[in-house]
Amino acid sequence: MSDYFGKEVPKLGFGLMRLPKLEDGKTIDIEQTKTMVDLFMKAGLTYFDTAYVYEGGESEKAAKIALVDRYPRESFTLCTKLNAGVAKNETDAKQQFYTSLERTGAGYFDYYLLHALGKGNIQFYDDFHIWDYVKELRDKGLIKYWGFSFHDDHEFLDKLLTDHPDVDFIQLQINYADWESNTVESRLCYEVARKHGKSIVVMEPVKGSALANPPDSVKEILHKANPSVSMASWAIRFAASLDGILTVLSGMSNVQQMEDNLSYMKDFKPLDEEEKKVILAAQDALSKVEQIPCTSCRYCVAGCPVQISIPSLFDAMNRKLIYNDFAAAKMSFGWATSNNAKPSECIQCGQCESACPQHLPIIKHLQEIAALFEN
């Protein structure tokens, strides 16, 4: 591997977005979280990731109780994020940093990210002068390294990194299922980041738990290759084996998941050539599972009179078809309709179908998606 910023950082990070819950299903189980933190720290791992918006702010508070109050500050690194899209105005957006600092009691943040950048929310970060703000915080010693997490296409990522070449690192969704995805564009975004010389923190390496329980055809391939390891281990090691990776975040929800991750990431070994062939076979098997064969060319979108983000809706539907993960599919549906029309608003003009090079029955699929997610 090449030399790059963060090469020495252990390749498993503890994502604090899916922390264990008590019986009510809402309250964070602090005692179990403490146990997980202890196991993580004992293994010599150091990177913890939270955000202003995670768990309605309770994630940052849990980080204080389970980590910051119990360990010397120099023994771990902490990342959190500013989400300008949920702010009322510039003052409100900038206050998020100090709220995060108060919630965590961390004194400073080792890593700080502008949260979930994309074409739909970039104006908030620009209009609120957040790019300059984080550099001011860095100059004051309140942030060590800064960057942004990203949810959009590789061309927009290239523009952002060209406009802001001084970011230290970025956070991308990378996993073997999305590697060649026409919507997530894992590989293309990864290649853009490395072209700009940026180190990468990986999010969603297990695709929101989908790759911990993949389709049976994929399970069979992975189990045959190594029956003694978990399905999740293949996904996390795939991401961690790429060049330029600062760390790979895993949002662990119980002690068992932590123990499994530590079993192969405490002394991480990159995938060897035979294991890489296994991943290729798994990717091929995934491509053959029933799904809407959209290539995300977006020819259908430009002329849509009601502005439906058709490829994004198809991606949400495919999460249900391929992984039978309705919760993740519903979340993707929410993203697809947050700034665009719902599929039920289709006026059936047929423009999309005439523009589609794959000749997909788009109107029929939109009706199916509306019936599944809007009822």
Side-chain angles (χ1 to χ4, degrees), residues 118-151:
K119 290 187 285 290
N121 63 11
I122 191 64
Q123 76 275 9
F124 296 111
Y125 295 92
D126 292 341
D127 294 349
F128 295 164
H129 309 103
I130 301 302
W131 300 97
D132 291 333
Y133 179 59
V134 292
K135 284 182 273 190
E136 292 171 10
L137 294 171
R138 178 200 59 196
D139 293 344
K140 292 177 182 179
L142 295 173
I143 294 169
K144 287 189 175 182
Y145 305 105
W146 71 284
F148 59 85
S149 62
F150 182 77
H151 292 276

Side-chain angles (χ1 to χ4, degrees), residues 30-44:
I30 291 294
E31 292 308 310
Q32 187 173 180
T33 300
K34 287 180 179 178
T35 299
M36 294 166 70
V37 167
D38 292 345
L39 289 168
F40 191 79
M41 292 290 287
K42 185 178 180 180

